[in-house]
Amino acid sequence: MRLWIALGVLALRALPRFPESVDDVYITANYARHWVATGRLEWTNGERVEGYSSFASVILAAVLHLGGLPTELALKWIAGGSMAGIAWIAHRYFPRTIHGTMGFFALFLATPTVRWSVDGMDGPLFALALAFGWLSVQRGQLQMGFAWLACSALVRPEGMVHLLAAVFLRVWQGGVADTVRQASGPFLALAMYHSLRTAYFGDLVPTPTLVKVIATPLSWSGLGQALTDVTPYLGVFLLLRPTFSKPAIVAMVPLVLQVVVETRASGDWMSGGRLVMPGAIVTAIMLANVVVSRRNPNENVSFLSRPTRPSFPAVSELLACSLAVFGCFYLPNAWGQFAYLYQPLPTVGTLISGFNRGLVTPLPEDVAWIIDHVPAGECVLVNDVGMVGGIPDVCILDIRGLVTRESAEAEAAGQHERWLTGLTDGESRPFAVRVAWWGSEARVVPDWLSPKYQEADYLRYPDGVVAWFSLANAPAAP
């Protein structure tokens, strides 16, 4: 019963946010749609660049798109279905006590869980693969566990770190020969995948890694952001009441690894618990498994039975419950804009064919501006390339470099402004350039923008302003 109640309440909280997606969702959607349409895994302008973070999400979205489902909606269904699968797993492992049931509900009502369950990002799918992998390893099913963790490496790059950590822990606990034998198959499969990937794209390191890891300097702010993102799940951990033990310490590993990853790859693209959520969910389920395994197996418990152990001290219990409730309403680093602030614009198809798929985007005016002002065959230089990347007959260059390899390499080498200056001042300069100022940023035109460009338009959004600069005396779109 509690599974269906939790899914129902999660749906009630999440569905009002179903129309929203961060821009990165559209990057994955564009790759999947272009792959199906052309048979080539590349960006929409034909550049063979690995600008996505989740190969598994691209594959699944492409398969669903072959069945007629738009790729944006496919990614949302993948995320929602993955979260439902995680809820089923957690239902099996969480104690059927008052505190266990409270922790179960708090896990799936925590704001990061709600936020990313319908956005379309790869967090829920990653959490599902990690849950299968780590739980299998925890129960001694090494071959299956390592295989699932290898699959998680196809969902998110840091899945490889989880696989290495699981192998190390098993070797540390003994049985080196057996661990190596069980892990050899998954490692061989991943080696073959990366060999094929490198041969196809021509580069070992994907552009998201260049931009979000190599080009991102180490800072204490990353650690602070990661620890803040753990906050919504603290009540869940306390309600499980784990005792200090070696299995409980091992159960914390998935969360610690995700904290380390977010610390290294801190930035606005990691906000809202996006990276920490999968680790927190898996750690909670593993702690629940530890707690249940220590209970008397002959004990008969029901849906809301009271625990046989002495209950919490009043202060500790109040703290656990308060943190659990707090986690249901608090999202670190802001929740993001509300749907009513966005103009309905599901995909570029809305402007072209009037077909509404029920999605919204934070960049509707930018899409309209490109279609109205940029002639077919021209290029524009923008950030937030996901949504605008689906516009047909327009070449999209990425300032941040996710889908433009030269930009990513320049940023990783600390030469980004020089590259941008050369691009906007060169012979093959883009037709238009988008500059955005969000929040309290000073509205200063960047130095790299060539004087050959003149201000063409200002677009106002609820939390910022976008300026479009076009070449002087350039013809407008027909």
Side-chain angles (χ1 to χ4, degrees), residues 461-478:
Y461 289 107
D463 59 344
V465 173
V466 168
W468 277 97
F469 294 84
S470 61
L471 293 171
N473 303 318

Side-chain angles (χ1 to χ4, degrees), residues 173-232:
Q173 294 172 355
V176 177
D178 183 59
T179 301
V180 172
R181 179 178 60 84
Q182 302 277 14
S184 59
F187 275 110
L188 179 60
L190 284 177
M192 293 176 61
Y193 161 71
H194 285 293
S195 297
L196 293 172
R197 180 183 64 79
T198 303
Y200 183 81
F201 289 107
D203 297 282
L204 176 62
V205 182
T207 51
T209 303
L210 286 175
V211 173
K212 299 178 181 180
V213 178
I214 297 177
T216 302
L218 287 170
S219 66
W220 287 107
S221 62
L223 178 60
Q225 180 180 350
L227 295 178
T228 303
D229 287 349
V230 177
T231 304

Side-chain angles (χ1 to χ4, degrees), residues 5-24:
I5 294 176
L7 288 176
V9 177
L10 174 62
L12 287 175
R13 289 199 67 195
L15 286 179
R17 307 195 69 88
F18 184 85
E20 299 178 30
S21 290
V22 296
D23 192 68
D24 285 6

